[in-house]
Amino acid sequence: MSATLKQPFGAAFFDRHRCASHRAKLTTLIALVPALTLFAAFWLLPFSRLLLMGAEADRSSGVSAYLTLLTHRQYLISLATTVTLSLAVSVAAVAIAGFAGFFLARHRFAGQSLLVAILTFPLAFPGVVVGFLVIMLGGRQGALAQTSLWLFGERWVFAYSLFGLFIGYLYFSIPRVITTVMAACDNLDQSLEEAARSLGASHWRVMRDVIIPGIAPALLSTGAICFATSMGAFGTAFTLGTRLPILPLNIYGEFTNYANFAMAAALSVVLGLITWAALALARKLASNALGASV
């Protein structure tokens, strides 16, 4: 009699559990529908179209735009210049703003909130404004040109070169690193630092063996974001000069000046793939660093 009663009760329990599981899956699917729709409409379909368009014949060479990109010197130089510039900006931003973010996270002083607000203020600027600020600093009528003319009788100008573009990219990359490093330092276990100092470790030894490994995932992730942002930044480069040999300006020129849609699509695909690969690599390295630190 008891066995007869237990069996229907157990079957009913599992039926209710199965129905609850199906409802949860259905709810999750419904919640994902808007995101999947936007993903397909604004990324998957356009990017698929770009892939196909890049395989079409280039207007100048008559062969596939991908093949032209890989065999013509001007496109290879543009690709190498863009990657090198973005790497340099990422390394410099992490090195400079990493120390600043750590200092701001570990020290309290009067006016700190104002200083953090000033350092992160460039996040509110579009690329065109950043380019204009670089011109005001290193342009022909900028502060450096006026000062050098007064002191040495000649104008020093850097705004319309790759160095000027480097300064502009670095300017809007530093706030991203500072905010990320400050958040990572706030979550860092300070007892590890105290234990290292109690064992006789010097300040630089603690920095090298405890602090940097602890915030390494944050440094890698924010460095990848700086790289991706620099790879695709257009407004600053367009303000400083349309003849700079970088991919965003090449894409703009091929699309608007020459109506070479196949080459513009191929350059866009290559830029997107390089950026995606850098972000994926940084995510993997950050997860490995996080696992090693734990």
Side-chain angles (χ1 to χ4, degrees):
M1 181 68 178
S2 60
T4 305
L5 292 175
K6 288 180 180 179
Q7 186 174 0
F9 176 79
F13 173 79
F14 285 114
D15 287 340
R16 286 196 300 271
H17 180 71
R18 191 181 298 110
C19 292
S21 177
H22 287 323
R23 283 196 298 269
K25 292 180 180 178
L26 181 61
T27 302
T28 303
L29 182 61
I30 293 174
L32 289 176
V33 165
L36 292 175
T37 302
L38 291 174
F39 174 77
F42 293 99
W43 189 88
L44 186 60
L45 294 177
F47 192 76
S48 301
R49 177 57 180 154
L50 280 179
L51 283 172
L52 295 176
M53 188 180 296
E56 297 176 0
D58 174 62
R59 291 192 63 178
S60 60
S61 63
V63 299
S64 171
Y66 293 121
L67 182 60
T68 305
L69 191 156
L70 295 175
T71 55
H72 279 59
R73 184 170 179 268
Q74 60 173 342
Y75 298 121
L76 294 177
I77 291 177
S78 175
L79 176 61
T81 302
T82 306
V83 172
T84 303
L85 177 64
S86 300
L87 283 174
V89 170
S90 303
V91 173
V94 170
I96 295 172
F99 285 104
F102 175 77
F103 176 83
L104 292 172
R106 291 299 175 85
H107 296 83
R108 298 291 182 268
F109 51 88
Q112 182 185 21
S113 299
L114 178 61
L115 178 60
V116 172
I118 293 174
L119 291 175
T120 56
F121 191 63
L123 289 174
F125 289 158
V128 175
V129 175
V130 173
F132 184 70
L133 292 176
V134 174
I135 292 175
M136 291 295 97
L137 174 64
R140 295 182 182 90
Q141 302 298 327
L144 180 62
Q146 296 296 330
T147 303
S148 62
L149 181 63
W150 179 65
L151 292 176
F152 307 105
E154 59 180 353
R155 297 179 186 273
W156 293 353
V157 178
F158 66 83
Y160 312 103
S161 63
L162 287 176
F163 180 73
L165 193 58
F166 170 82
I167 295 298
Y169 285 177
L170 183 63
Y171 178 71
F172 63 68
S173 294
I174 283 179
R176 293 177 170 85
V177 180
I178 288 180
T179 54
T180 304
V181 170
M182 288 181 65
C185 290
D186 289 337
N187 296 327
L188 193 63
D189 188 1
Q190 297 190 27
S191 63
L192 299 176
E193 303 174 41
E194 297 172 358
R197 291 191 181 93
S198 66
L199 294 174
S202 63
H203 176 75
W204 291 109
R205 186 73 179 271
V206 173
M207 178 71 70
R208 186 191 67 182
D209 296 338
V210 178
I211 297 175
I212 292 180
I215 64 174
L219 295 177
L220 289 170
S221 61
T222 193
I225 292 174
C226 292
F227 176 84
T229 305
S230 300
M231 282 288 295
F234 174 76
T236 304
F238 187 79
T239 305
L240 296 179
T242 57
R243 295 186 178 182
L244 293 173
I246 60 172
L247 283 182
L249 293 182
N250 279 359
I251 295 171
Y252 174 81
E254 296 290 342
F255 185 80
T256 59
N257 297 335
Y258 309 110
N260 193 358
F261 303 126
M263 180 53 67
L267 291 171
S268 300
V269 169
V270 170
L271 189 151
L273 290 178
I274 292 175
T275 304
W276 175 83
L279 291 172
L281 178 62
R283 193 181 308 112
K284 182 177 178 59
L285 294 175
S287 61
N288 292 339
L290 182 61
S293 63
V294 175

